[in-house]
Amino acid sequence: MRGLAKSNLIEPQADASREGKMTESGQKTESELQNYPRKNGRGLFVIPVAYLFAIMTGLALLLAWQAHQVMKAWNRPNNYFSEQAANQLIDFYVWSLVALAIWQYMRVFSLQGPRWKRDLAVHLGIAIVTAPLATLLYISGVAITGLGKRDMSVQARLMYNLRGEFGQNIIEYLTILAVLASVEYYRRHRESQRENLQLQHALTESKLQTLRAQLNPHFLFNAMNSVSCLLHRDAGAADQMLSRVANLLRLTLARDDSREVGLLEEVELAEEYLEIQKIRFGSRLRLEIDIDDDVLEARVPNMLLQPLVENACVHGVARTRGDCRLELRAKAEGRNLVISIYNDGPSVRPDWKTHSGIGLKNTIERLSLLYRESSTLELLNFREGVRLVVRIPLVTTPATIEMVDPVLPRTPAQSATIM
């Protein structure tokens, strides 16, 4: 910052004080970048002025103490800490006001977008005008407080500082502007990231809803087909199956649109579906369900198990003439939840992925949307039949998506069958 008299303070001290002022401007920016409400797409910045000036005061007193110690070590006369402190406080407060003005100018001339050259030219013009104004404000503060009268007159000091500080003040203006423009660029980059994340999240949710909507008519068609198979052979069994189908539909429609539910809820829905299949296949269908207690609360995709067990019934049990075994198991392996469905029906073809039906394709796509590379679905020949294995991350609490850092700076320029 400035000394009381230009002839009494050495240049290194002035350089150190100016470096402190640049540090001050950087700290000021961080304190400013809070609570920036939108208004007509541009925004009105509300600055925590009290915090800003508290930081300024602390830095000014620190530099004043430094200058006082330097002068004391050199045995300079008329070395008073109070005068050094007053001098630094005046200079800091003047540039605080200038920095606040620059921040407000950036509401219109933000140096962002295709018109940044025009904005830079405008700021350069403002800097040329501001340079002598900053000096006038400083000298006015010095004159009011009566500092340095014994060294030179106010008029002489004004002329001396106007000549010596014009270019220096322009550089200081542009330095503060560069700091604020950098913060604005970073803020816009983060805002763009957040908007892209929100758009991606909305698209993912839309796809999941569409995929889930495909399952209801697909399941209903297969259920009605099962009823029609029994209607002419066993009317009582067909009537019982219709009742079970109605109950299963109620359970399905009663669910909300959550992307994930507890595994226990999924198992209950799958059991209700398997009860329907037991009516259809009778004693031929032998069920075994083994779910570890420690994974009952694990989160799984909504409507995960029903299309998979339906796939096993349609392509396993329905294609065998004798007894057929169907096993549903779930357990934890490390940080993964492993769900396996086994049936001892016909073997699976090697190119099953390219010949999958609605149920399996739907499930594979939903797993990809929800877990990316963290999930797998495998269908392979196992023992005398086919085994389907699903691996997903083991989570026992509802998943949340972090959109972006909750605190973002606000700136003035803001505006079922498979084969």
Side-chain angles (χ1 to χ4, degrees), residues 20-41:
K21 182 159 60 178
M22 293 305 101
T23 305
E24 161 268 309
S25 67
Q27 296 189 17
K28 174 188 72 60
T29 5
E30 293 184 5
S31 65
E32 285 178 355
L33 298 179
Q34 308 291 334
N35 304 324
Y36 193 91
R38 297 174 181 265
K39 183 178 180 182
N40 298 329

Side-chain angles (χ1 to χ4, degrees), residues 289-304:
I289 299 178
D290 182 15
I291 309 297
D292 288 357
D293 292 340
D294 54 352
V295 297
L296 288 176
E297 299 301 321
R299 308 298 293 181
V300 298
N302 203 337
M303 292 291 291
L304 172 67

Side-chain angles (χ1 to χ4, degrees), residues 4 50 150 156 173 208 211 259 309 323 366 401:
L4 293 179
R150 56 180 170 268
Y173 179 102
L208 288 172
L211 291 170
R259 57 167 56 192
V309 296
D323 293 345
R366 287 195 296 145
I401 294 181

Side-chain angles (χ1 to χ4, degrees), residues 322-395:
D323 293 345
C324 186
R325 186 177 187 84
L326 194 150
E327 300 173 0
L328 171 59
R329 305 181 187 277
K331 62 180 180 179
E333 288 187 2
R335 297 183 178 181
N336 291 326
L337 171 66
V338 180
I339 301 172
S340 65
I341 301 174
Y342 168 80
N343 73 86
D344 51 6
S347 59
V348 66
R349 54 194 296 175
D351 57 345
W352 64 270
K353 288 187 178 181
T354 58
H355 293 81
S356 299
I358 293 176
L360 205 54
K361 283 183 177 179
N362 186 294
T363 302
I364 292 173
E365 188 168 355
R366 287 195 296 145
L367 289 175
S368 176
L369 287 171
L370 284 170
Y371 306 111
R372 305 294 179 183
E373 293 82 12
S374 300
S375 66
T376 60
L377 189 151
E378 300 174 344
L379 189 64
L380 60 155
N381 296 316
F382 181 75
R383 299 200 307 244
E384 296 84 15
V386 177
R387 184 186 184 200
L388 182 145
V389 180
V390 175
R391 294 177 184 269
I392 60 175
L394 179 58
V395 180

